[in-house]
Amino acid sequence: MASSLTYSLFPISFILFLSSFIYTSTGAFSEDLSDAILTKRMEKHTHLHFYFHDVLSGKHPSSIRIAGKPKPGAFGDTYIIDDALTEGPNATSRVVGRAQGMYAISAQDSDVALLMVVNYAFALGKYNGSSISVFGRNPVFHDVREMPIVGGSGLFRFASGYALAHTIWFDFKTGDAIVEVFMFEGQRWADGYFQWLLSSEDVVLFLFGF
Ligand SMILES: *[C@@H]1O[C@H](CO)[C@@H](O)[C@H](O)[C@H]1NC(C)=O
Ligand SMILES: *[C@@H]1O[C@H](CO)[C@@H](O)[C@H](O)[C@H]1NC(C)=O
């Protein structure tokens, strides 16, 4: 059975690889992309672009230190965040969601690298209530940092992909920062593939034939 199944799947994966990619940029917060697959099956991808406001200073910080040495900025520092995500770089621009989670300085060398464990909870339009989970290494003084998307909920169920972060403003005195974020999200290939498989009558009949 296993070898017959493998044999039967091979031509399908070949067809998926032939899929063409349609992409148009609108410069907006989000855009949906479609893979037109020869079988007329559509697969969704989403690109997101927004700004992340990490505020440690003032009366209402959105990032609070919960552990670390007495002097902040050292290995072990851990913060819990509920940071606003906005459409534009200005904190007064439209809020598209919140980054909720934690980060910790997890590198002992001078290359300050954070461990990021963050859920991006979106609140705009059709994305309201859907989230993307990011877990990765963030060497904050590098120009562009890449972090893996490890999952999601709602419209982002089965999400995978990656996020790129680029700091556009940083206050060395307070630690406050504004970070531009791009997300390239897509349904995890294997999951999408098996969903397609299960929704394809021909293949289901073929499987029941055994
Ligand atoms: C942000 O927007 C406010 C109000 O619209 C404006 O006063 C301020 O100058 C803007 N800040 C920046 C950095 O553009
Ligand atoms: C998002 O959904 C919540 C709960 O369903 C609702 O209270 C809120 O008004 C919605 N926000 C937007 C911007 O649609």
Side-chain angles (χ1 to χ4, degrees), residues 13-144:
S13 54
F14 183 70
I15 290 168
L16 289 173
F17 279 119
L18 288 177
S19 66
S20 61
F21 196 62
I22 304 160
Y23 174 67
T24 41
S25 176
T26 59
F29 160 63
S30 68
E31 47 194 322
D32 289 329
L33 310 171
S34 300
D35 272 350
I37 291 173
L38 292 184
T39 56
K40 296 202 179 80
R41 171 83 189 169
M42 303 296 277
E43 291 259 339
K44 292 270 253 186
H45 300 259
T46 306
H47 289 185
L48 302 173
H49 175 225
F50 51 83
Y51 295 82
F52 177 114
H53 299 262
D54 197 38
V55 182
L56 285 74
S57 67
K59 278 203 182 118
H60 303 289
S62 61
S63 174
I64 58 167
R65 199 164 79 110
I66 57 157
K69 290 180 179 162
K71 192 171 174 287
F75 177 57
D77 259 7
T78 304
Y79 293 79
I80 294 285
I81 60 166
D82 183 0
D83 285 344
L85 305 174
T86 61
E87 199 166 38
N90 196 321
T92 61
S93 86
R94 185 158 67 151
V95 171
V96 300
R98 306 200 68 86
Q100 299 172 332
M102 59 195 293
Y103 57 74
I105 301 180
S106 58
Q108 300 200 66
D109 53 22
S110 57
D111 192 15
V112 181
L114 304 180
L115 160 73
M116 307 290 293
V117 185
V118 179
N119 291 314
Y120 289 79
F122 297 103
L124 192 67
K126 67 175 178 176
Y127 299 106
N128 190 9
S130 296
S131 68
I132 287 181
S133 301
V134 172
F135 175 88
R137 180 174 186 268
N138 182 9
V140 288
F141 294 118
H142 290 200
D143 184 32
V144 178

Side-chain angles (χ1 to χ4, degrees), residues 187-201:
Q187 200 175 46
R188 187 172 293 146
W189 187 78
D191 292 320
Y193 180 63
F194 283 108
Q195 278 185 355
W196 177 84
L197 190 64
L198 291 173
S199 64
S200 161
E201 276 173 35

Side-chain angles (χ1 to χ4, degrees), residues 164-205:
L164 297 179
H166 165 67
T167 303
I168 59 163
W169 178 81
F170 181 67
D171 183 336
F172 278 91
K173 226 161 100 185
T174 61
D176 292 357
I178 301 175
V179 179
E180 185 173 19
V181 180
F182 294 87
M183 282 190 179
F184 302 89
E185 182 274 339
Q187 200 175 46
R188 187 172 293 146
W189 187 78
D191 292 320
Y193 180 63
F194 283 108
Q195 278 185 355
W196 177 84
L197 190 64
L198 291 173
S199 64
S200 161
E201 276 173 35
D202 290 349
V203 178
V204 171
L205 287 175

